Amino acid sequence: MSKFKNPMVKPFLKWAGGKRQLIPEMKKYYPKEFKRYYEPFVGAGSVFMDIQHSDIVINDFNSELINAYKVIQNELELLIDELKSYQEKNNKEDYYIVREYDRDGTLDKMSSTEKAARLIYLNKTCYNGLFRVNSSGQFNVPFGNYKNPKILDETTLKAVSKYLNKNKVIILNGDYKEAVKSAKKGDFIYLDPPYAPLSDDSQSFVGYTLNGFGVREQEELRNTFVELDKKGCFVMLSNSSVPLIHELYKEYKSTTLILGANRMINNVANKRGKVDEVLIMNYKSE
């Protein structure tokens, strides 16, 4: 792990399930030493940006998100110019015009940089910073009506870009199982999947991608966890603290912790607030 970390390397997006507020507790349980770092459900990237390892693999199924990471790595100045043009568009009319791009065919004609700028703009100005798409893959979050959203955070973007370029960083867009296939003994893998629902009548939050993540997928993920454990990898997993997850990972009960997280992103207001999460490891922290 890097001893000299840049505090400006931090998430450039607000993301449901983001780990920023849990980092002070989670970092107590990172392995002290490891080889390569993998984060196959990267999301906003709070954990890998906190660790700032020199050899990492990040992945996500969300192609727009991964495109943004690649643009920040390779086309930063063009992205900054694009975002400057969005700074005067924090109004309802412009917001819905831009949101419509994935319905009217405009998005298909946009460059990778233009798509990344649109994603960041929508994320900063939409309601509650939520990324959600409908069954047709169209962004469907309403306007947030915030007074001064930071559409262009140049300092953060430059810091993240510098980190992505100075280190060995592989950025993938696909299935998490493929992303961790190359993991070897001594590598550290952090798994932060779509969470199991908190109750039988609640709906899994699967709006980030069009593929659901139900009980079968949670079981497959547990199998991947076990496979990585058998390889001799360090494995850490986050999920909701519900009976299903405790049952699936019961053999790791002695290295399971319960953490309380304030979840501020939910389209139902009364479902925001303190939620228990589990942090499951296959190793004992020193």
Side-chain angles (χ1 to χ4, degrees):
M1 240 183 303
S2 173
K3 294 179 181 178
F4 307 101
K5 298 196 293 186
N6 180 356
M8 295 314 300
V9 176
K10 57 188 181 182
F12 55 91
L13 295 173
K14 190 175 179 182
W15 210 254
K19 293 296 177 290
R20 193 183 305 196
Q21 58 164 310
L22 288 175
I23 290 293
E25 187 64 21
M26 289 177 61
K27 69 195 310 174
K28 298 175 186 176
Y29 304 101
Y30 299 156
K32 299 300 182 214
E33 298 289 338
F34 53 89
K35 296 175 183 175
R36 177 180 266 185
Y37 175 73
Y38 290 78
E39 195 166 337
F41 300 93
V42 70
S46 296
V47 178
F48 93 80
M49 292 188 198
D50 177 61
I51 293 173
Q52 292 183 32
H53 197 53
S54 60
D55 184 2
I56 73 169
V57 176
I58 60 173
N59 172 79
D60 205 278
F61 201 81
N62 187 317
S63 57
E64 282 209 62
L65 173 66
I66 290 302
N67 175 65
Y69 277 111
K70 290 180 176 179
V71 166
I72 289 169
Q73 183 183 43
N74 301 314
E75 302 168 24
L76 179 66
E77 294 306 320
L78 289 173
L79 176 63
I80 289 172
D81 287 343
E82 286 291 335
L83 286 170
K84 284 177 180 175
S85 71
Y86 276 112
Q87 290 194 108
E88 303 304 317
K89 294 184 177 180
N90 182 37
N91 61 78
K92 197 170 185 177
E93 183 180 1
D94 281 330
Y95 175 85
Y96 284 108
I97 289 172
V98 175
R99 199 186 77 164
E100 195 73 14
Y101 289 171
D102 58 14
R103 293 163 171 79
D104 64 14
T106 302
L107 188 66
D108 297 332
K109 301 171 187 173
M110 294 172 78
S111 67
S112 57
T113 307
E114 290 169 335
K115 289 177 180 177
R118 173 182 178 267
L119 173 66
I120 294 171
Y121 162 74
L122 291 175
N123 181 261
K124 301 291 187 181
T125 55
C126 73
Y127 177 70
N128 216 26
L130 187 66
F131 183 98
R132 185 186 65 209
V133 294
N134 61 23
S135 59
S136 299
Q138 299 163 337
F139 191 81
N140 65 351
V141 185
F143 181 58
N145 201 30
Y146 300 118
K147 191 173 182 181
N148 291 304
K150 201 163 189 178
I151 295 169
L152 171 57
D153 185 348
E154 201 164 337
T155 303
T156 295
L157 291 174
K158 285 182 174 179
V160 172
S161 181
K162 185 176 180 181
Y163 167 72
L164 294 176
N165 280 288
K166 280 186 68 178
N167 298 283
K168 184 181 177 183
V169 180
I170 296 173
I171 304 174
L172 303 174
N173 173 213
D175 185 82
Y176 72 90
K177 296 188 207 70
E178 291 297 317
V180 300
K181 264 190 174 178
S182 60
K184 296 179 174 62
K185 182 178 179 179
D187 291 342
F188 176 30
I189 298 92
Y190 172 56
L191 301 166
D192 186 25
Y195 279 17
L198 296 175
S199 62
D200 292 339
D201 62 351
S202 66
Q203 294 183 344
S204 299
F205 193 75
V206 295
Y208 294 103
T209 60
L210 297 181
N211 64 320
F213 210 90
V215 174
R216 188 182 70 179
E217 286 75 20
Q218 294 289 354
E219 291 172 344
E220 289 175 353
L221 178 61
R222 186 272 318 278
N223 294 341
T224 297
F225 187 106
V226 172
E227 288 168 12
L228 292 167
D229 182 15
K230 288 177 178 176
K231 277 186 174 184
C233 301
F234 298 102
V235 194
M236 175 186 279
L237 175 137
S238 295
N239 215 311
S240 48
S241 181
V242 295
L244 169 67
I245 300 303
H246 286 284
E247 176 63 24
L248 286 174
Y249 295 90
K250 60 186 177 183
E251 64 185 285
Y252 300 99
K253 186 176 180 180
S254 65
T255 48
T256 294
L257 303 170
I258 296 179
L259 307 176
N262 283 309
R263 286 287 163 231
M264 300 313 295
I265 298 183
N266 195 305
N267 57 342
V268 181
N270 63 11
K271 291 187 179 179
R272 297 178 206 139
K274 205 79 168 178
V275 177
D276 281 343
E277 300 188 5
V278 289
L279 194 65
I280 302 169
M281 295 157 281
N282 71 328
Y283 58 91
K284 290 187 182 295
S285 177
E286 295 177 13

